[in-house]
Amino acid sequence: MKRPLSETIALGLALFASLCFVLGLSDSRAAVPIHTRTPAVKMLTNADRPGKLRATVRGSAGVLERSTVQVYWERDRVEHWVGLGVTDDTGSTTIEHLPHGALWILAEAPGYGRASTRIVLEDSSGEVSLSLPLAHALHVRVRDELGAAIEAATALVTGSDPLPFGALTDHAGVAHFARLGEAPWSLKVSAPGFESVARSSLRADTEVTLRRLGAIDVLVLDPSGKPAAQAEVAIGGASLWPARTTRADAGGLARIAGLLPGSYDLRAALGGAVSKTTMGFELGRGAHEHVTLTLEPGRSVTALVTDGAGPSPIVVPNADVVLAEGGVGTFPIRGRTGTDGKVTLGPIAGGPATLGARAPDFVGSSLVAVPEILEGPVRIALIRGGTLRGDVVDARGFPVDGASIEVVGSDDDGLPIAETPALVAFRQSHFAWALAGPVPLISAGELGVMPGPVPPIPRPGELTASSAAPDFAEPANVTPWVSAANGEFVAKPVSPGRVRAIVRHPDYVEGASDVVPLAPGAEAHVKIVLLQGGSLEGRVKDERDDPVAGAEIELSSSRATRTQVTTTASDGTFAFAAVPPDITLSVARPEDVAHVVLTKTLHVAEGAREKIELVLPATREGSRIVVRDESDQPIEMAEVTVLSLEPDRPLRATRFTNSDGAAQIPDAAGASVRVLVAAPGFARHVESQASLPSELKVTLARGVSVTGRVTAVRGRVPVEHATVTLETDGQRKSTSTDSDGGYRFADVPPGEVRLTVSHPDYADEKANVTVDATGRADRPFEAPTLDLSDAGEIEGDVTDDRGSKIAGARVAIDRVPSYLPAGALPTGVVVTDSDGHFVLRKVHPGTLAVAAAASSIGHGAVRDVIVNAGRTTRDITIQLRRERSEDEPLAAAGLAVTLGERGSGADLEVVIVAVAATSEAERAGLQSGDVLLAVDGVRPASMGAAREAFAGPAGSDVVVELGRAGESLKLRVTREALRR
């Protein structure tokens, strides 16, 4: 599940505050989760809190007097404290003034561990009963690699209750826990200057050894080779964000300690001199490395930001400009334009660099390359944003107040749009925070901490800001995209293109508007009707019928862009409010939340209150995969991937064989799976098993070497540096031709392959080749020579049926794919500009068809277009036929395939027309011409039904059953973010 960047930052701040808080939970009476947003709680009045809850708390000896019961209200993925009660001599307490919705009830008492449960409160009153386990003790001893005690290390323990207990180690290196629930427990230990350690399934006292972190000594030299005293050294990387800086001493040396193992970028600067950035410096675990950075005269770049790209544009003051070396740099330089629309940034070293800019009322620009030789300011043209107005109402037509708005769609270049005011505010706040440059290192050592005091512990309903982290407060010039009391909202600036509004409110199911066109600086209007949805309460049990606490449950729907995630309470219960009609529940065990072990689809009618019991399957025995060659010799380091073909029981595991050629796949024996095995020097092996045995032997055959040549001018000229791509059964290999036009592929399985050749000076060439085994490893298979032709061009426009030019339409030869992976367009597909104009280059000569498509408009094509080598065919106009817009799934991801239908009624078949290159669908083995028999075990009645079944969270899987060449096969495919 992916979060918006703004939510990720807010979550990080909340976790920091939570860490400070939970350190005192070992003996605390009230364990209060820290929440990141409180306006929803502060706005509630007693009229908004019509419910009450009677809770009864029991222990091993009966009812418990004076136990504490707290109630938390789940609102927009955040738990808010809303009530507190203390039980009387009957073990009961009544908590009043509670809001309707999903509630988390937490109970604790002296001498007992905590217990919790989850319900959905819809009526005026509810009732729950909680049983507290006896308290258990745990002692965690923390040592370094030499056996010395580590004082003030942080230990966090999680048991059946998902809220952790925390403690600091004493002078003897021991952390004491006295009020834990029943074992097993999970443990995480961390200390400044050491790597963190996690343990699971603890049942007794334990000892943990922490390993020291690494260090890098950076020596900075000036251009003459002398030490550069007081040079500023910057370091950043995947495990260290944001970048940090420190100063070199009088000898030009800076020591950076407390580093996790990984890859780091380093850069030094002093005055107008700067070093080249050292990229990807590898630091081993606990290693002490040395790096030398040499300064050289830097260069500065002046950027000019303008309103549009015309010949006499208006300059844009107060625009945020970023200069990055190498296109995407670890150490970007930021600045803000003056009244003349200019800003000078630097110094940077020689080499590639890019500029980007943003400004209020504009929606940013594409990155602009900085010329190696500067002859004046580098111009950055911004696009003025549009305005989307709308009305949000419920099913009765009454306005809905307080709904949040997100705008999604495709811009005029066909790229995806996903904008919220929170994201705009974050970008602006982050930019303002980053203007001062990287954060200084703390001399004491721990890089994960910034300067500043530890924040005070918030009370329930409060969140305290601190200088311990960047202040990402919402800028004054960003208006929240939230519906008013009359249901109206205004969203601006919005990227021009074809857009729709996604509307969310905690009391309703997520809704979406129709897609509307939006021009630069223009306005559009939409209306959204929100439905109340249903509610879902459930319990997770194991195969022994015992409740499972701490299991993670994700609720997703093809009718929603976001997923809902919760964890089961100590009694295995969970609850969701405002549930869409058709949902999928994915459940992970508490000890491995990254591994989904059960999925369940169900329908929840509007306004219904459903209850469900989910039983986790018993853990299967492991399966041993043994990989050998044709001489029955073990193959070490073979990659073994096992994919479940059971829709309700996901499995995706990859292991490498040991010296005996064996790999152990846990929880796999007896499952219906697809097994893929690959090793250098061998052809990839693929097979399906209806029931995977406890041991499976796989024999790999030697792959075939394929060689060939690429020529031009009817075979007379060898073509050097041509890119040759070989495709077979979901695999894609690429190489380049040598000076004689030759190329070579290793480990190719015998059978049909597809070769594609591309070169900047010629038209692309494709050929299907049947590769035969040669019987000898030193004898390659010779592919036919591929002769390239001089390319032609096609230039034209795309219009709708009224003759209006269509920006952002995709154009290609023969067929335009309906769905593509988010990111760069594949070779041979172009997008019309703001005037609806396109140019197709590197077109193979001949008589061709040119097709175009635009999301939510339709398709069109022009046939019998004659293309001559070295010439441009002009004035081609492709008119799009307006088609009935499908009810597009709103889910964040799906499969990048183009579908079609043939037949009708009971004989209707859904066919895969095209599979996007480099997509997850291609890698899984889907092919054009496959008939779609079932998706997750259900036969699709139409293309729309198939597309809805494909939709779901990015990174999740779907099992498709296909008809191919008279046979059926099943494949597990990973969903990915798409562009349409």
Side-chain angles (χ1 to χ4, degrees):
M1 177 185 68
K2 295 210 167 185
R3 300 178 188 270
L5 191 53
S6 57
E7 284 196 12
T8 303
I9 296 300
L11 180 60
L13 300 182
L15 290 176
F16 178 80
S18 298
L19 175 60
C20 299
F21 178 77
V22 297
L23 293 178
L25 289 185
S26 305
D27 299 302
S28 65
R29 289 291 305 273
V32 183
I34 303 303
H35 39 78
T36 61
R37 296 186 293 275
T38 59
V41 173
K42 291 182 178 179
M43 290 190 301
L44 286 179
T45 64
N46 283 346
D48 301 314
R49 300 172 179 247
K52 63 180 180 180
L53 179 73
R54 180 175 176 81
T56 302
V57 182
R58 292 180 171 83
S60 57
V63 297
L64 293 177
E65 184 181 0
R66 301 196 60 76
S67 37
T68 302
V69 179
Q70 296 189 79
V71 182
Y72 299 91
W73 181 46
E74 187 173 320
R75 194 73 166 171
D76 197 19
R77 304 188 183 190
V78 179
E79 303 286 352
H80 298 277
W81 184 91
V82 291
L84 171 69
V86 178
T87 59
D88 56 21
D89 56 1
T90 68
S92 299
T93 182
T94 299
I95 304 170
E96 299 183 337
H97 305 305
L98 298 178
H100 287 161
L103 300 179
W104 180 23
I105 299 97
L106 185 76
E108 55 186 342
Y112 290 87
R114 289 196 300 255
S116 59
T117 189
R118 292 182 182 270
I119 66 168
V120 174
L121 186 64
E122 291 184 335
D123 302 323
S124 58
S125 63
E127 189 169 335
V128 296
S129 179
L130 298 102
S131 296
L132 304 190
L134 288 173
H136 292 72
L138 175 69
H139 304 286
V140 179
R141 186 179 301 273
V142 183
R143 297 283 187 265
D144 64 15
E145 293 165 296
L146 300 178
I150 301 177
E151 187 175 1
T154 301
L156 296 176
V157 175
T158 305
S160 59
D161 184 347
L163 188 66
F165 288 88
L168 297 176
T169 56
D170 57 21
H171 67 279
V174 179
H176 304 273
F177 298 88
R179 299 177 56 228
L180 301 179
E182 293 184 1
W185 306 295
S186 296
L187 169 69
K188 183 173 183 180
V189 181
S190 59
F194 295 86
E195 290 186 47
S196 297
V197 169
R199 298 268 181 88
S200 60
S201 301
L202 290 179
R203 294 183 178 274
D205 296 347
T206 187
E207 182 170 305
V208 175
T209 299
L210 301 186
R211 291 183 289 195
R212 292 192 178 274
L213 296 168
I216 302 176
D217 284 344
V218 183
L219 176 62
V220 185
L221 303 177
D222 65 18
S224 65
K226 298 179 180 179
Q230 296 301 306
E232 183 181 76
V233 178
I235 181 171
S239 58
L240 180 58
W241 181 94
R244 311 294 168 86
T245 62
T246 188
R247 289 282 179 181
D249 60 18
L253 184 66
R255 171 166 292 181
I256 305 172
L259 293 172
L260 290 166
S263 178
Y264 293 93
D265 300 340
L266 295 144
R267 178 179 180 268
L270 182 62
V274 63
S275 73
K276 291 187 180 298
T277 300
T278 297
M279 305 290 291
F281 181 82
E282 291 292 335
L283 180 68
R285 179 173 284 110
H288 189 167
E289 301 288 354
H290 302 268
V291 175
T292 299
L293 301 177
T294 301
L295 302 177
E296 61 183 46
R299 59 174 180 155
S300 295
V301 179
T302 298
L304 172 63
V305 182
T306 62
D307 181 354
S312 302
I314 300 171
V315 299
V316 179
N318 297 317
D320 297 337
V321 183
V322 178
L323 172 65
E325 296 178 89
V328 180
T330 308
F331 314 109
I333 301 173
R334 300 166 173 85
R336 192 160 282 157
T337 59
T339 56
D340 59 354
K342 296 180 181 179
V343 63
T344 300
L345 304 174
I348 61 171
T354 58
L355 283 164
R358 287 189 176 273
D361 298 327
F362 294 86
V363 291
S365 68
S366 301
L367 294 179
V368 177
V370 176
E372 191 65 34
I373 300 176
L374 294 170
E375 298 179 350
V378 180
R379 182 172 167 184
I380 309 173
L382 298 184
I383 301 172
R384 189 168 290 275
T387 300
L388 186 66
R389 298 181 181 272
D391 299 292
V392 184
V393 299
D394 62 17
R396 299 168 299 169
F398 294 131
V400 176
D401 182 16
S404 61
I405 313 300
E406 179 180 359
V407 177
V408 301
S410 300
D411 66 15
D412 288 340
D413 292 323
L415 297 175
I417 296 171
E419 297 176 353
T420 66
L423 184 57
V424 174
F426 169 76
R427 285 194 295 251
Q428 294 186 16
S429 295
H430 178 264
F431 187 92
W433 170 76
L435 273 175
V439 178
L441 288 170
I442 298 174
S443 57
E446 184 62 24
L447 296 181
V449 181
M450 296 181 184
V454 174
I457 303 303
R459 294 189 183 93
E462 294 181 356
L463 177 66
T464 304
S466 168
S467 59
D471 179 11
F472 295 123
E474 187 171 287
N477 62 346
V478 176
T479 302
W481 296 356
V482 177
S483 61
N486 60 0
E488 297 179 356
F489 69 86
V490 177
K492 67 175 185 179
V494 174
S495 296
R498 301 190 64 79
V499 299
R500 74 195 313 172
I502 305 295
V503 182
R504 302 183 182 94
H505 191 285
D507 294 337
Y508 298 89
V509 174
E510 181 180 288
S513 71
D514 292 334
V515 176
V516 295
L518 183 64
E523 287 191 3
H525 188 275
V526 294
K527 183 177 181 179
I528 304 96
V529 178
L530 296 184
L531 300 177
Q532 197 112 27
S535 64
L536 179 66
E537 294 180 352
R539 187 185 302 269
V540 177
K541 295 184 176 181
D542 62 19
E543 74 279 8
R544 299 183 302 272
D545 206 38
D546 294 329
V548 178
E552 183 171 284
I553 303 177
E554 180 182 78
L555 183 151
S556 62
S557 172
S558 63
R559 305 189 187 190
T561 60
R562 288 187 181 179
T563 58
Q564 299 182 53
V565 179
T566 191
T567 54
T568 55
S570 59
D571 59 356
T573 56
F574 65 92
F576 292 102
V579 174
D582 298 298
I583 61 173
T584 298
L585 297 175
S586 302
V587 188
R589 302 185 195 275
E591 63 271 17
D592 187 7
V593 295
H595 178 206
V596 174
V597 297
L598 175 69
T599 61
K600 178 74 172 179
T601 60
L602 64 153
H603 178 81
V604 180
E606 172 73 12
R609 182 171 185 171
E610 299 287 347
K611 293 192 175 184
I612 187 172
E613 187 172 281
L614 300 175
V615 179
L616 298 185
T619 302
R620 292 177 169 127
E621 293 183 1
S623 180
R624 187 169 182 260
I625 313 292
V626 181
V627 183
R628 298 185 177 274
D629 63 16
E630 294 168 301
S631 301
D632 204 34
Q633 296 300 308
I635 301 176
E636 188 176 4
M637 292 304 292
E639 182 182 60
V640 179
T641 300
V642 176
L643 304 174
S644 167
L645 301 179
E646 301 172 5
D648 60 345
R649 190 160 180 181
L651 171 65
R652 179 181 288 271
T654 299
R655 300 290 188 273
F656 290 88
T657 57
N658 58 21
S659 57
D660 295 329
Q664 191 73 20
I665 308 297
D667 194 22
S672 174
V673 299
R674 184 172 170 88
V675 181
L676 300 88
V677 183
F682 296 87
R684 188 175 71 156
H685 174 87
V686 180
E687 68 174 86
S688 295
Q689 288 282 336
S691 178
L692 185 65
S694 57
E695 182 170 298
L696 176 68
K697 183 177 179 181
V698 174
T699 301
L700 295 188
R702 290 284 174 182
V704 180
S705 292
V706 176
T707 61
R709 291 185 74 236
V710 178
T711 61
V713 195
R714 289 180 289 279
R716 295 196 295 269
V717 177
V719 178
E720 187 179 8
H721 300 311
T723 299
V724 185
T725 302
L726 182 148
E727 303 168 54
T728 174
D729 193 26
Q731 285 187 301
R732 180 179 289 265
K733 302 170 179 269
S734 292
T735 189
S736 295
T737 56
D738 57 23
S739 58
D740 191 42
Y743 64 87
R744 185 184 188 94
F745 290 104
D747 307 338
V748 178
E752 186 171 299
V753 302
R754 183 176 180 85
L755 294 173
T756 304
V757 182
S758 179
H759 190 278
D761 299 334
Y762 301 96
D764 292 351
E765 191 72 37
K766 298 181 179 180
N768 290 328
V769 177
T770 300
V771 175
D772 297 321
T774 62
R776 291 177 50 180
D778 60 346
R779 180 182 298 169
F781 173 83
E782 293 284 345
T785 297
L786 296 174
D787 193 61
L788 304 185
S789 305
D790 289 336
E793 291 186 353
I794 302 175
E795 187 173 348
D797 301 293
V798 177
T799 69
D800 60 16
D801 53 3
R802 294 188 291 268
S804 299
K805 301 294 181 64
I806 303 299
R810 290 203 292 266
V811 184
I813 300 298
D814 292 333
R815 180 188 298 117
V816 177
S818 297
Y819 290 86
L820 295 170
L825 288 170
T827 302
V829 179
V830 299
V831 175
T832 57
D833 60 22
S834 57
D835 296 322
H837 191 70
F838 71 88
V839 179
L840 278 170
R841 296 183 172 87
K842 294 181 58 182
V843 180
H844 201 286
T847 302
L848 309 170
V850 185
S855 176
S856 303
I857 296 180
H859 295 72
V862 174
R863 306 192 181 280
D864 300 327
V865 177
I866 299 175
V867 180
N868 296 310
R871 297 187 179 182
T872 300
T873 302
R874 305 182 189 274
D875 301 327
I876 300 298
T877 299
I878 306 174
Q879 187 178 82
L880 302 185
R881 304 181 306 275
R882 289 196 175 270
E883 300 170 350
R884 183 180 63 84
S885 178
E886 293 183 33
D887 184 13
E888 283 295 308
L890 293 178
L895 306 190
V897 298
T898 301
L899 299 177
E901 293 179 350
R902 65 187 181 200
S904 60
D907 296 326
L908 184 141
E909 292 181 330
V910 179
V911 182
I912 297 177
V913 176
V915 180
T918 72
S919 67
E920 292 291 344
E922 183 191 63
R923 280 188 279 271
L926 271 65
Q927 298 178 10
S928 59
D930 288 343
V931 177
L932 200 57
L933 302 179
V935 182
D936 279 343
V938 179
R939 180 182 179 274
S942 64
M943 286 193 302
R947 184 63 61 190
E948 187 165 341
F950 287 164
S956 63
D957 290 345
V958 61
V959 175
V960 296
E961 184 176 355
L962 305 169
R964 181 185 298 171
E967 298 181 354
S968 67
L969 76 156
K970 290 183 179 180
L971 300 174
R972 178 170 288 274
V973 191
T974 300
R975 296 181 173 102
E976 61 188 322
L978 302 178
R979 60 188 296 181
R980 182 174 186 238

